[in-house]
């Protein structure tokens, strides 16, 4: 019969209370690598430091500020529209008021001027917001859309007040028979009010997609790789 096998002697550097296997190598930083999806980015795991981003309250405050500023900027659009839009000439024969040039395109030009100015201010507002907050996000886009729409409505109403006299009959009597005068400024195509919000949203998404910060690629450890023994 052979003699029973005896366990090897305890290494010199192993303490009496150490329960690790004899001759086990010292622990290294590699032993701290997570061994399950729950430990590394899985459900219930804590976010990494610096990855949680700004809070919801901060984003809502920024969005509200964007809405207020863009709405106030609608006054600039109204002034530019009243200044740059072509005027429609009218004439009176003492009994009725007619277009001086029946084939003129001035009324269409007023709508086109409002739309182009709205698109330009939409792109400009999106560029300013992007330079202020490069990370982008849904709240910023929604704020640009809402602020652009409110600014367009303000510009529409303000431009009409800054334009020619609204009372056509009173103005015709004031200038007299056969004298041309400007028709009130009107926005015939109400869809032009959407030029600013659409331009702002598209410009913000384009700028964020092209020049916005990129998310780092997540580290994916090999869960099937053999792991060193733990204490």
């Amino acid at each position: 019969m052979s003699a029973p096998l005896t366990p090897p002697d305890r290494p010199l550097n192993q303490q009496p209370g150490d329960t690790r296997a004899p001759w086990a190598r010292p622990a290294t930083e590699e032993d701290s690598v997570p061994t399950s999806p729950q430990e590394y980015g899985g459900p219930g795991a804590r976010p990494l430091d610096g990855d949680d981003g700004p809070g919801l309250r901060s984003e809502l405050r920024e969005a509200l500020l964007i809405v207020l500023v863009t709405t106030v900027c609608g006054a600039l659009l109204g002034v530019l529209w009243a200044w740059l839009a072509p005027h429609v000439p009218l004439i009176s024969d003492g009994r009725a008021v007619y277009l001086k040039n029946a084939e003129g395109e001035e009324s269409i030009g007023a709508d086109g001027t409002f739309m182009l100015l709205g698109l330009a201010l939409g792109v400009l507002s999106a560029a300013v917001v992007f330079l202020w907050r490069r990370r982008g996000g849904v709240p910023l886009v929604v704020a640009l859309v809402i602020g652009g729409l409110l600014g367009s409505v303000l510009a529409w109403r303000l431009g009409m007040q800054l334009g020619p006299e609204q009372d056509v009959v009173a103005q015709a009597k004031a200038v007299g028979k056969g004298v041309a005068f400007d028709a009130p400024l009107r926005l015939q195509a109400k869809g032009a009010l959407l030029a600013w919000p659409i331009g702002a949203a598209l410009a913000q998404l384009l700028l964020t997609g092209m020049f916005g910060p990129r998310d780092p690629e997540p580290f994916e450890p090999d869960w099937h790789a053999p792991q060193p023994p733990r204490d």
Side-chain angles (χ1 to χ4, degrees):
M1 296 179 63
S2 60
L5 298 177
T6 58
D9 296 335
R10 181 185 302 274
L12 297 178
N13 61 349
Q14 186 171 5
Q15 302 298 326
D18 195 345
T19 59
R20 292 182 300 175
W23 309 104
R25 64 177 179 84
T28 62
E29 295 182 357
E30 296 179 356
D31 297 340
S32 61
V33 176
T35 58
S36 66
Q38 286 74 18
E39 296 183 27
Y40 190 89
R46 293 188 307 170
L48 299 178
D49 294 339
D51 290 348
D52 47 356
L56 178 59
R57 291 185 178 179
S58 177
E59 290 185 351
L60 292 178
R61 285 194 298 266
E62 294 174 357
L64 180 59
L65 178 62
I66 292 173
V67 171
L68 293 177
V69 173
T70 50
T71 301
V72 173
C73 290
L76 176 61
L77 175 57
V79 173
L80 292 176
W81 182 46
W83 178 35
L84 299 176
H87 295 172
V88 180
L90 301 177
I91 193 170
S92 173
D93 61 357
R95 293 178 298 178
V97 178
Y98 307 93
L99 288 172
K100 183 178 180 181
N101 185 6
E103 298 179 357
E105 299 179 355
E106 289 83 0
S107 58
I108 301 177
D111 295 347
T113 302
F114 189 95
M115 184 177 298
L116 292 177
L117 291 174
L119 285 174
L121 286 179
V123 173
L124 179 61
S125 59
V128 172
V129 170
F130 176 76
L131 293 177
W132 179 44
R133 288 291 182 266
R134 288 181 174 270
R135 69 176 183 273
V138 175
L140 299 184
V141 178
V142 174
L144 283 172
V145 171
I146 296 177
L149 183 59
L150 294 177
S152 296
V153 174
L154 175 62
W156 169 39
R157 306 305 299 181
L158 180 61
M160 291 176 56
Q161 297 298 323
L162 296 178
E165 177 63 37
Q166 299 294 314
D167 193 343
V168 176
V169 176
Q171 191 174 4
K173 292 180 179 180
V175 299
K177 180 179 178 181
V179 179
F181 60 95
D182 293 331
L185 189 58
R186 293 283 189 268
L187 187 65
Q188 304 296 335
K190 298 303 186 291
L193 296 172
L194 301 177
W196 187 339
I198 291 177
L202 294 179
Q204 175 69 16
L205 294 176
L206 183 62
L207 290 173
T208 304
M210 294 179 61
F211 306 106
R214 298 293 187 271
D215 294 333
E217 296 183 0
F219 172 73
E220 297 181 0
D222 187 3
W223 310 118
H224 303 289
Q227 301 294 332
R230 293 190 171 188
D231 295 342

